[in-house]
Amino acid sequence: MITLALDFETANERRDSACAVGLAWIADGRVVRRESHLIRPPEMRFSPGNIRVHGILPADVAGKPAFAEVMAPYLADLGGGVILAHNATFDIGVLRAGLGRAGLPVPDFAYLCTVQVARRVFPAPEGCGLGKVARRLGITFEHHDAGEDAYACARIALAAMGETGTGDVHGLAASIGVPVTEVPGEGARPAPGRGVISGRAMAVRPPTSASLSFLMRGSTGNRYTVTLEERTSGAVLRCTCMAGRFGQRCRHVKALEVGDITDLLSDNHSDLATLATRLVRVA
Ligand SMILES: [Zn+2]
């Protein structure tokens, strides 16, 4: 079974704006291969906030290959293996959106989120952000470089396997009660009443028109509910916090938009995959 960690950086708030990717393969209890590439996004629009995070500028990627060309050598491993990612719904969302934007078929993906793993195996009051978990484990890396982030993610999974005495990601997932989530590919959605795609059991409900809602922890410990609302202009997230009630895109909404589950209290992480597909569609 192929296991590889995946990390994307994006040019702006859109999931189909990947500007860098990092990959790190795990085998025999260690990281055996690392790749990292810059990607020319479909639009050369870089948000200042994104640049602040990753430091990649339009000039850095202007001459680089586009998403489909960069990712082509890795799609077989990504589709056939288990993907590890820290805040996996973000990276899986970027992968799906990038393939969709390029007009390529989106295969089934199976993933394990290392934020969820770290919360069970290496919990701490400071939380389970990538940099914090890596520092607790003594993993040195350069945060927000895609190749380095993928490497750190892989090392966190390896540390968790060591801590739990499990030999692979399925064993790890089973031992801590976190599912390996399977996201069905586009064009492969099941007919109603069928629960199996390509012989694999489905772990994620297909998108429905039912409302999605998430319980979030505020910075002062208050709890807020973020709900997806359908408007004629498209789907929007609404939050019950003060900023949200004034109609602003608050930090709880922004976190869920990028698949950041650091402050997610409700036990519906898998709904984020559904949320991503619905927000992508209206973006
Ligand atoms: Zn809010």
Side-chain angles (χ1 to χ4, degrees):
M1 178 193 62
I2 292 165
T3 305
L4 73 170
L6 173 69
D7 184 82
F8 284 109
E9 306 294 338
T10 55
N12 56 54
E13 76 289 349
R14 289 185 60 112
R15 299 226 179 184
D16 60 7
S17 72
C19 62
V21 63
L23 305 108
W25 284 255
I26 287 177
D28 304 323
R30 61 194 180 89
V31 175
V32 294
R33 180 185 174 195
R34 297 170 66 171
E35 295 279 350
S36 110
H37 302 279
L38 292 172
I39 298 170
R40 188 182 77 252
E43 296 169 85
M44 276 296 178
R45 181 172 63 81
F46 279 65
S47 298
N50 293 57
I51 292 174
R52 260 197 302 280
V53 167
H54 51 58
I56 298 168
L57 298 167
D60 298 325
V61 299
K64 299 297 177 187
F67 186 90
E69 189 180 339
V70 171
M71 296 306 294
Y74 312 121
L75 291 180
D77 282 3
L78 289 166
V82 176
I83 300 171
L84 300 168
H86 212 74
N87 274 324
T89 51
F90 171 76
D91 298 287
I92 297 295
V94 172
L95 179 57
R96 291 168 57 88
L99 291 170
R101 176 76 183 248
L104 295 170
V106 179
D108 296 356
F109 291 113
Y111 68 86
L112 179 62
C113 177
T114 51
V115 171
Q116 292 188 56
V117 169
R119 282 180 170 177
R120 309 288 170 107
V121 185
F122 306 114
E126 65 173 357
C128 287
L130 187 64
K132 287 171 177 161
V133 178
R135 190 169 56 241
R136 294 207 288 280
L137 295 174
I139 300 166
T140 52
F141 77 115
E142 197 165 322
H143 198 3
H144 295 305
D145 171 281
E148 293 274 310
D149 284 6
Y151 169 74
C153 170
R155 290 279 310 274
I156 289 168
L158 287 168
M161 287 179 221
E163 187 72 20
T164 54
T166 48
D168 61 33
V169 286
H170 284 291
L172 170 64
S175 79
I176 59 176
V178 171
V180 172
T181 303
E182 301 203 7
V183 184
E186 295 295 338
R189 298 214 182 283
R194 290 188 52 202
V196 174
I197 298 172
S198 313
R200 288 158 70 180
M202 265 189 72
V204 174
R205 293 188 300 275
T208 68
S209 58
S211 90
L212 291 172
S213 131
F214 303 88
L215 185 63
M216 298 291 283
R217 175 179 49 210
S219 53
T220 57
N222 289 339
R223 295 173 169 215
Y224 305 112
T225 304
V226 178
T227 308
L228 186 72
E229 294 181 8
E230 299 289 352
R231 302 287 172 85
T232 48
S233 55
V236 291
L237 287 168
R238 286 283 170 210
C239 183
T240 56
C241 77
M242 190 63 77
R245 279 184 276 149
F246 280 103
Q248 295 168 12
R249 265 175 74 233
C250 62
R251 51 186 292 271
H252 317 110
V253 165
K254 287 177 181 169
L256 289 173
E257 283 174 346
V258 298
D260 182 344
I261 61 167
T262 311
D263 293 315
L264 179 61
L265 296 172
S266 50
D267 196 19
N268 59 336
H269 305 94
S270 63
D271 282 347
L272 279 169
T274 307
L275 177 68
T277 63
R278 293 175 64 182
L279 290 176
V280 161
R281 209 159 288 157
V282 301

